[in-house]
Amino acid sequence: MTPLQIVFLLVAAITLFSAVMVVSIRGMMHAALFLVLTLMGVAFMFATLGSRFFAIIQILVYIGSIAILIIFAVMLTRNIMDAEVASLNRGWWFFAPLALLIFASIVLVLSSWSAFATLRDLSSTSGENILEFGKALTDPNGFVIPFEVASVLLVAAMVGAVYIAMERRGGRG
Amino acid sequence: MDFLRDPYTFVANRFQEFLTGLGLAPEWVLFISFLTGAFILATSAMLLVTMLIWIERKIVARVQDRFGPNRVGPWGIFQSFADLIKIFTKEMITPTGSDWLPYNLAPVLAVSAVLTVWAVLPFTVTFYGVNLSVGVLFVIALGAVGEMGIILAGWGSNNKYALLAAFRAIAQLISYGVPLAITMLIPVMFSGSMALNDIVLAQDVWYIFLAPLVALIFFVTNLAEIGRAPFDLVEAESELVSGFNVEYSGLKFGMFYVAEFLHALTVSLIFATLFLGGWRGPGAVEYPVLGIVYYTLKTSLVYFLIILLRASLPRFRIDQMMAINWKLLIPLSLSLLMLTALVYRLVFTQPHIVRVLVLLAVNGIVFGVLNLILARVEKRNSRRPLVAEPRPVARAESISSNTPVE
């Protein structure tokens, strides 16, 4: 066994464990913290696969902003931190089998795909090419339209947030 | 002789030969040598911090016309070691109702987030942990991990002041992360690489001469990121009793303390790497051991500036701190980014001296315009004078002569 495999197994075990804890633990704050651990595990997965860029971006975006945002949302919501909220709602008997059904059908569809069980040989591609990635994002023949549309969406979200948070002079607060 | 020229490569090669001689597989040799290297680097960084604490106390004492530590050893040089031994004997108190795992994880995260940055720092042309292709992003991402440490400390200690301080610290760190990331883009743009060693290798001219204003913004932003004066609102004794670490005692508090000093050293190292040419200097490529000397000199200069600022400036109010960031640093750094990109593209093929002069001129113009705008803003919201009006009764000469002077 190589050291990389040992690290992979350890990280995979921690990631899966914390992913289960996110949905099963009582208390929102702990769920959020386990979510951080899960996301960190995913970043390690990227790193062990040799994709440095996506490992770093995973930490930067998901832990640096999204997880902190979630934690803030949890902390600033009243009566959610200390109360041990029930983790199941009333419709669980209907939705749990439904989720299982969807999962089973996805597995069924994917397993009929020939490339599902074979490992792709990645040894020929040396690392990753950020330059190509960046060019593809700004290339008119590449992904420039989805990229720009995503930025417009983000700007719209930001304008909306500013509008909600803005204090209106006079009239209704 | 080879040892004197480049001790790091010499020792590393000998160590790997020794491990291979033991009959280990190549991947295990690599793993063990990286592990050993990381252990040595981290330990020496932590030991360095004890000296840094002494230096900082000495310099701040000199600024304030005191002697500073002067009892333990010559010039009190072993004072930090005495403090270290003392802090080991202190009781570690766990507050009632604290959340066990976050409470204990927070100090570890705070130190490790800073220490991990050292993995990508190039100390000489050959001596670095890894020349990561996304080194600059790595440094920014680890800042986020440090923020997690602060949140965990604030939440875990079950204290409302700690939680408030954590909120405040995160607000500060996230806000100042924006100009930090923007200014770090400029060296990346100049060198065409995000790997820190490649950035150093590309600095035939130090980037501080190509982008002095950007370097200044980067420096100020880093002061805020490490929570040093004048941005030390995170540890406001008067408002938040102490800060997010109020419930920590003994060695756990010591971890936060070490993390703070280590962070200050690390940002000095990063500043020296990005803007002062890192290990570059005469003969540093042929004799890599010289690189350490140059790098230490440059870093010490930045670190000395940080200490001097800490000793001489008062603390900002929180609204002032936010206003400086959102109303001054972010617009300024954004416009500088666009302007520098445009101008640098135009003079890209010119010799070094032309590039430097053109970019210095651009920076001068931006500074002039900024000065004009700030002067107008200053005139519009005129502040009340900071010094109180002279009150005749309370002055010494009016008391003695019994006649009001004014």
Side-chain angles (χ1 to χ4, degrees):
Chain A
M1 230 204 259
T2 63
L4 194 62
Q5 281 169 328
I6 295 175
V7 170
F8 172 79
L9 284 179
L10 273 178
V11 171
I14 292 173
T15 310
L16 287 179
F17 169 73
S18 49
V20 170
M21 290 305 272
V22 172
V23 287
S24 63
I25 200 168
R26 303 282 174 104
M28 289 288 280
M29 188 63 196
H30 285 117
L33 294 180
F34 271 113
L35 181 66
V36 172
L37 199 59
T38 315
L39 295 171
M40 194 72 117
V42 175
F44 265 104
M45 292 292 152
F46 280 125
T48 50
L49 285 172
S51 177
R52 297 156 161 185
F53 180 69
F54 285 104
I56 303 296
I57 289 295
Q58 172 83 16
I59 293 183
L60 193 62
V61 173
Y62 282 92
I63 295 175
S65 30
I66 292 182
I68 287 183
L69 194 71
I70 290 176
I71 288 174
F72 265 52
V74 171
M75 280 180 170
L76 294 177
T77 313
R78 203 175 291 167
N79 293 337
I80 204 170
M81 287 205 297
D82 36 27
E84 300 274 298
V85 215
S87 51
L88 294 176
N89 65 8
R90 270 175 296 161
W92 70 272
W93 53 270
F94 177 70
F95 291 107
L98 193 71
L100 265 181
L101 198 70
I102 293 173
F103 180 69
S105 53
I106 289 174
V107 169
L108 205 69
V109 170
L110 279 180
S111 59
S112 62
W113 177 38
S114 60
F116 183 60
T118 52
L119 271 179
R120 256 185 88 183
D121 185 25
L122 289 171
S123 53
S124 55
T125 54
S126 57
E128 74 218 296
N129 204 334
I130 311 172
L131 203 64
E132 288 299 314
F133 178 67
K135 276 181 183 163
L137 277 184
T138 49
D139 186 14
N141 299 320
F143 301 97
V144 71
I145 291 175
F147 185 60
E148 292 297 328
V149 168
S151 356
V152 170
L153 183 70
L154 286 178
V155 170
M158 223 154 86
V159 170
V162 170
Y163 180 74
I164 290 171
M166 197 166 55
E167 278 178 42
R168 276 170 224 141
R169 298 245 169 83
R172 309 161 277 128
Chain B
M1 204 58 222
D2 204 34
F3 174 75
L4 287 178
R5 203 179 65 79
D6 186 5
Y8 167 71
T9 318
F10 184 81
V11 173
N13 284 342
R14 283 297 144 88
F15 186 61
Q16 290 195 345
E17 277 167 26
F18 166 71
L19 286 177
T20 319
L22 288 181
L24 287 169
E27 61 259 25
W28 276 102
V29 169
L30 204 65
F31 181 70
I32 292 177
S33 46
F34 266 103
L35 206 62
T36 319
F39 180 76
I40 293 174
L41 193 64
T43 312
S44 42
M46 303 276 264
L47 282 177
L48 200 58
V49 167
T50 51
M51 293 320 291
L52 288 180
I53 293 172
W54 172 76
I55 289 172
E56 175 144 355
R57 288 177 67 178
K58 259 321 208 201
I59 295 175
V60 171
R62 281 294 168 189
V63 173
Q64 295 168 349
D65 206 8
R66 295 182 286 121
F67 281 121
N70 58 359
R71 293 289 146 181
V72 193
W75 313 290
I77 200 164
F78 298 123
Q79 181 65 49
S80 300
F81 290 97
D83 290 343
L84 200 72
I85 293 165
K86 191 186 84 175
I87 215 168
F88 269 108
T89 65
K90 291 273 179 177
E91 184 188 1
M92 284 192 269
I93 303 163
T94 307
T96 320
S98 69
D99 205 340
W100 188 82
L101 192 65
Y103 179 78
N104 288 301
L105 196 61
V108 181
L109 263 186
V111 176
S112 58
V114 182
L115 264 185
T116 317
V117 175
W118 286 52
V120 295
L121 290 176
F123 293 97
T124 72
V125 66
T126 51
F127 179 21
Y128 47 81
V130 56
N131 192 18
L132 198 63
S133 59
V134 284
V136 171
L137 274 181
F138 184 76
V139 173
I140 301 174
L142 281 170
V145 178
E147 286 167 20
M148 269 321 291
I150 292 177
I151 290 187
L152 289 184
W155 157 261
S157 31
N158 191 29
N159 177 318
K160 59 186 167 196
Y161 292 110
L163 194 59
L164 269 178
F167 278 150
R168 196 187 250 206
I170 299 301
Q172 175 176 341
L173 293 184
I174 289 183
S175 313
Y176 277 84
V178 179
L180 181 77
I182 295 172
T183 46
M184 278 175 112
L185 274 181
I186 301 246
V188 172
M189 209 166 65
F190 285 151
S191 64
S193 168
M194 278 201 276
L196 289 178
N197 202 25
D198 295 355
I199 290 178
V200 174
L201 279 170
Q203 286 186 56
D204 295 325
V205 184
W206 293 1
Y207 289 156
I208 194 169
F209 296 122
L210 288 178
L213 272 184
V214 171
L216 182 68
I217 297 174
F218 183 73
F219 183 73
V220 172
T221 319
N222 266 325
L223 279 185
E225 283 281 319
I226 59 178
R228 280 303 182 92
F231 298 102
D232 57 348
L233 297 118
V234 177
E235 290 182 37
E237 303 88 351
S238 46
E239 304 136 54
L240 295 164
V241 287
S242 156
F244 62 90
N245 50 19
V246 61
E247 288 289 357
Y248 286 85
S249 60
L251 208 53
K252 288 178 195 164
F253 173 75
M255 294 277 269
F256 281 116
Y257 197 67
V258 164
E260 189 200 321
F261 277 85
L262 199 58
H263 205 167
L265 177 66
T266 310
V267 298
S268 321
L269 284 164
I270 295 170
F271 186 90
T273 311
L274 291 181
F275 289 103
L276 298 180
W279 46 261
R280 283 184 80 114
V285 179
E286 295 81 32
Y287 301 96
V289 72
L290 281 178
I292 293 231
V293 178
Y294 297 133
Y295 201 29
T296 312
L297 282 177
K298 291 168 186 175
T299 309
S300 319
L301 184 73
V302 183
Y303 193 72
F304 184 65
L305 259 178
I306 292 179
I307 297 177
L308 269 192
L309 282 179
R310 183 194 169 177
S312 46
L313 288 180
R315 184 182 292 152
F316 278 124
R317 279 197 326 257
I318 187 134
D319 60 319
Q320 289 172 330
M321 184 196 74
M322 285 298 176
I324 287 170
N325 182 47
W326 292 103
K327 294 180 185 165
L328 176 64
L329 291 183
I330 290 182
L332 184 62
S333 55
L334 268 177
S335 44
L336 270 173
L337 174 71
M338 289 188 269
L339 209 61
T340 314
L342 193 72
V343 174
Y344 194 69
R345 189 71 223 173
L346 292 178
V347 296
F348 189 58
T349 49
Q350 306 293 324
H352 285 311
I353 183 78
V354 180
R355 279 193 237 172
V356 171
L357 286 179
V358 169
L359 277 168
L360 273 183
V362 168
N363 272 283
I365 292 168
V366 171
F367 188 74
V369 172
L370 178 75
N371 207 10
L372 279 179
I373 295 173
L374 284 183
R376 289 185 68 175
V377 170
E378 186 82 356
K379 203 181 282 175
R380 207 172 50 208
N381 348 323
S382 55
R383 291 175 304 185
R384 68 182 172 81
L386 285 173
V387 184
E389 301 289 325
R391 279 187 285 178
V393 186
R395 291 172 68 179
E397 60 268 29
S398 53
I399 291 171
S400 56
S401 68
N402 245 340
T403 48
V405 178
E406 283 162 345

